[in-house]
Amino acid sequence: MTGTGIAWADGSTYTVKPKRDGDARLLEIESEISRAVEGRSIDLVVIEDLPANAKSAGITGMVHGIIRGWLRRQAVPYALATPATLKKYATGKGNCGKPEMAVAAYKRFDRELADDNQVDALWLRAAGLDHLGHPDAALPATQRAALTAVKWPALLDTTPTRPHHDEPRFGRTVVDVPLPA
């Protein structure tokens, strides 16, 4: 894994490119995600899930574990969208390639992004906003229907493992973290 993209509620994106190796790389990614999220009020984070046939895939699975654990400790709700679901939402085809997703991002958002990580992040952001009732783009109903396959927070136990301050869950930022395979 060479990087992971982050998309903000305002649509800006960037790529985290860890420089360290092994487990130190995991901690570097956790630190970057923590830096990106901490101190902000967040309604939802949408993470690209592992493909169904790769649930135990090495480094990506470890990154998922460290990020999901950190989000739980912060009491930040998160959703998991499989790559096929994200592709179907973005293009209407669950088996398209990254270039097709990039073209769809250009057509829908007039955005040319730096890399595939940012393309994923932008589409995960769009899915989260759509789920929260604030779609970023007008998509056909067939593409929007792909969101029914996402594991939204109501289906996940995001109860914090430590006490968390009382704060309303509205008016928060959507931050999307795709974790590439």
Side-chain angles (χ1 to χ4, degrees), residues 13-91:
T13 60
Y14 79 94
T15 302
V16 174
K17 293 188 176 189
K19 294 172 180 50
R20 295 167 19 197
D21 293 323
D23 290 347
R25 178 177 285 255
L26 297 174
L27 296 176
E28 187 177 350
I29 292 169
E30 179 186 36
S31 176
E32 280 293 310
I33 299 301
S34 172
R35 188 179 64 77
V37 173
E38 233 167 342
R40 291 178 169 79
S41 293
I42 298 173
D43 280 329
L44 179 67
V45 170
V46 185
I47 302 169
E48 183 175 13
D49 201 359
L50 297 170
N53 61 353
K55 288 294 183 188
S56 62
I59 188 74
T60 303
M62 289 187 272
V63 171
H64 264 255
I66 207 159
I67 297 306
R68 288 161 68 173
W70 186 88
L71 289 169
R72 285 181 58 92
R73 286 189 300 279
Q74 303 305 311
V76 174
Y78 61 88
L80 303 171
T82 65
T85 296
L86 186 61
K87 290 174 181 185
K88 188 169 185 179
Y89 177 71
T91 69

Side-chain angles (χ1 to χ4, degrees), residues 142-166:
T142 54
Q143 284 176 237
R144 292 188 72 229
L147 297 181
T148 62
V150 174
K151 300 170 190 169
W152 296 108
L155 302 176
L156 294 172
D157 175 13
T158 57
T159 306
T161 55
R162 63 178 174 79
H164 191 66
H165 52 77
D166 263 338

